[in-house]
Amino acid sequence: ATCTTENGVVMHKASNRTLGYGELADQAGGTPPANPPLKAPKDFKLIGKPLKRLDTSTKVNGKEVYGIDVMLPGLKFATIAASPVFGGKVGHVDDSAAKKIPGVQKVIVLDDMVAVVGDHMWAAKRGLDSLVISWDAGVNGRVDSALIWKQIKAASEQSGLVAKQVGDAGKALADGEKIEAHYEMPFLAHATMEPMNCTVHLTPGACEVWLGTQIAARVQSTAAATAGVPLDKVIVHNQLIGGGFGRRLEPDMVIKAIRVAQQVDGPVK
């Protein structure tokens, strides 16, 4: 009752002691107190107050650095062609035209993607456009919207997983009036305003990553596993995100970038 909170810590002003929230997590995880007093609106410091954004000016004048804007000394640029079907593999690659384009340094063929590495983005992009790739779609090559909906509808008619049960829902549904409706949404591209990107610099025993992510800890663990280095040898520089919407909860671009970087000397975007 004699403690207050401010700037991320719990303070006991009488004794001038402070504790971080994390240090009190175990105690806070117990039974909560009954009817705790709420802060009076007159004491609000943030709610209802005008606050200025510190990044507005740099966003307007173009100086803000998003993940895709990161530039490092000696940086190479890579563009990636991935299978148009989930789980697909590379069949055959004709890279003869790509290798003739000025600025193209290397064409990297992996099992499920092809990357073109260039001195600058234009060379890498032109190189990628010049590739002739055939894909082995695999089992998912037969998947279409009709099949997906058929499987989803069949699954919806089965019993679901029960997280918690209160009362007899089955009896209530059987005895009461029911309103039924079916809603369908097609498979959509989860497109962000800033294209998905990642910059990686691999050195012996370490990995450094620059990107905009919604979950840096997952990026760090994924990078460590992909690069084969200890977790504490991975540094993640989280940049401003040009649109996340949940798409940047996935670390797939980190995996792709590291796999390409393993074939390149120096940093690669």
Side-chain angles (χ1 to χ4, degrees):
T2 58
C3 290
T4 59
T5 59
E6 189 173 344
N7 294 329
V9 297
V10 177
M11 301 181 297
H12 186 251
K13 292 185 178 180
S15 62
N16 199 30
R17 288 178 296 166
T18 63
L19 282 173
Y21 291 160
E23 298 173 274
L24 297 167
D26 288 340
Q27 294 95 316
T31 303
N35 302 315
L38 300 179
K39 182 184 289 186
K42 66 180 179 61
D43 297 324
F44 289 166
K45 292 186 176 181
L46 299 176
I47 298 174
K49 310 293 184 182
L51 295 173
K52 292 183 179 180
R53 290 188 64 101
L54 302 180
D55 58 2
T56 301
S57 61
T58 52
K59 285 180 176 177
V60 171
N61 63 27
K63 292 183 178 179
E64 191 61 72
V65 179
Y66 295 83
I68 204 167
D69 298 320
V70 169
M71 294 295 291
L72 303 173
L75 183 69
K76 299 297 183 189
F77 295 78
T79 51
I80 292 174
S83 171
V85 175
F86 289 123
K89 301 296 182 182
V90 176
H92 178 263
V93 179
D94 181 352
D95 59 6
S96 56
K99 289 182 175 180
K100 296 176 182 178
I101 294 175
V104 170
Q105 293 293 324
K106 181 183 290 189
V107 177
I108 300 171
V109 180
L110 302 175
D111 62 335
D112 59 350
M113 67 178 187
V114 183
V116 177
V117 181
D119 292 329
H120 46 80
M121 180 62 191
W122 183 235
K125 184 180 185 305
R126 287 188 62 211
L128 190 75
D129 293 342
S130 300
L131 294 178
V132 180
I133 307 173
S134 62
W135 299 95
D136 179 3
V139 64
N140 287 333
R142 299 187 299 274
V143 175
D144 58 16
S145 294
L147 176 61
I148 292 173
W149 281 118
K150 179 181 178 181
Q151 293 175 339
I152 289 176
K153 289 174 180 175
S156 71
E157 295 170 359
Q158 307 300 314
S159 296
L161 296 175
V162 177
K164 184 177 181 180
Q165 185 163 313
V166 178
D168 191 340
K171 184 176 185 302
L173 289 171
D175 295 345
E177 292 187 23
K178 289 183 290 185
I179 298 176
E180 293 189 8
H182 297 269
Y183 299 91
E184 294 184 3
M185 281 288 289
F187 187 78
L188 300 173
H190 202 150
T192 57
M193 292 182 286
E194 173 199 6
M196 299 299 290
N197 64 88
C198 180
T199 297
V200 174
H201 189 193
L202 293 177
T203 53
C207 176
E208 205 161 354
V209 177
W210 292 259
L211 81 168
T213 176
Q214 293 172 260
I215 185 163
R218 189 178 182 191
V219 166
Q220 185 186 35
S221 60
T222 299
T226 307
V229 301
L231 187 67
D232 61 356
K233 296 298 182 182
V234 177
I235 299 175
V236 178
H237 303 274
N238 198 358
Q239 309 297 310
L240 206 65
I241 296 174
F245 321 118
R247 174 64 180 93
R248 285 184 157 92
L249 290 170
E250 297 296 332
D252 52 309
M253 280 307 300
V254 180
I255 298 173
K256 290 182 173 68
I258 289 176
R259 293 176 66 201
V260 171
Q262 288 170 332
Q263 311 288 327
V264 179
D265 292 329
V268 61
K269 182 193 299 188

